[in-house]
Amino acid sequence: MLLAEDNPVNQMVAVKMLERLGCRVDVAADGEEAVQMSERFPYDLIFMDVQMPVFDGFEATRRIRERADGKNVRIVAMTANAMDGDREKCIAAGMDDYVAKPITVQALEAALVKAG
């Protein structure tokens, strides 16, 4: 799976949590890198930070979805903007699910279960 997250501390925390859940994780430091990596590797699941440099999570998701095989990847938004309507905004932007920050092992596990 791919973790698209620009904050080094958040990267470290999320990777450790996901590894504890048995996942192998690649990391992209911005939205452009996430798009490039998703073009090179067939990820089944991407955890996508919404606020990143270069391309934000919405733009990165749009670009990934534009590719034919981009429709087969599950994209889970990760955002600190846990306000009313944010989940709907993420879903409308082409994301499949939503995890609020600060992330927890339970929230990541629930997203993984939904991903199958």
Side-chain angles (χ1 to χ4, degrees), residues 34-43 63-64 67 69:
V35 171
Q36 292 169 352
M37 290 177 74
S38 74
E39 290 171 349
R40 285 188 299 239
F41 304 105
Y43 295 107
R63 289 176 183 242
I64 291 167
R67 296 188 342 262
D69 63 339

Side-chain angles (χ1 to χ4, degrees), residues 5 7 43-44 48 53 55 63 70 73 80 89 92 96 106 113 116:
E5 168 66 61
N7 181 291
Y43 295 107
D44 292 330
M48 181 77 71
F55 302 152
R63 289 176 183 242
V73 63
K89 182 178 178 184
D96 299 292
Q106 295 81 4
V113 168

Side-chain angles (χ1 to χ4, degrees), residues 25-115:
V25 184
D26 293 333
V27 177
D30 61 51
E32 181 178 39
E33 187 177 11
V35 171
Q36 292 169 352
M37 290 177 74
S38 74
E39 290 171 349
R40 285 188 299 239
F41 304 105
Y43 295 107
D44 292 330
L45 178 62
I46 300 173
F47 283 97
M48 181 77 71
D49 184 19
V50 172
Q51 295 180 323
M52 291 184 291
V54 189
F55 302 152
D56 65 17
F58 299 116
E59 178 65 16
T61 296
R62 185 185 66 74
R63 289 176 183 242
I64 291 167
R65 293 287 188 229
E66 285 177 346
R67 296 188 342 262
D69 63 339
K71 293 166 182 60
N72 297 325
V73 63
R74 185 166 177 83
I75 300 176
V76 177
M78 295 186 350
T79 180
N81 295 332
M83 300 173 64
D84 286 341
D86 284 341
R87 178 183 195 84
E88 292 75 18
K89 182 178 178 184
C90 291
I91 301 301
M95 297 173 180
D96 299 292
D97 202 358
Y98 173 95
V99 175
K101 291 181 182 179
I103 58 171
T104 64
V105 171
Q106 295 81 4
L108 292 176
E109 186 172 34
L112 290 170
V113 168
K114 287 181 189 177

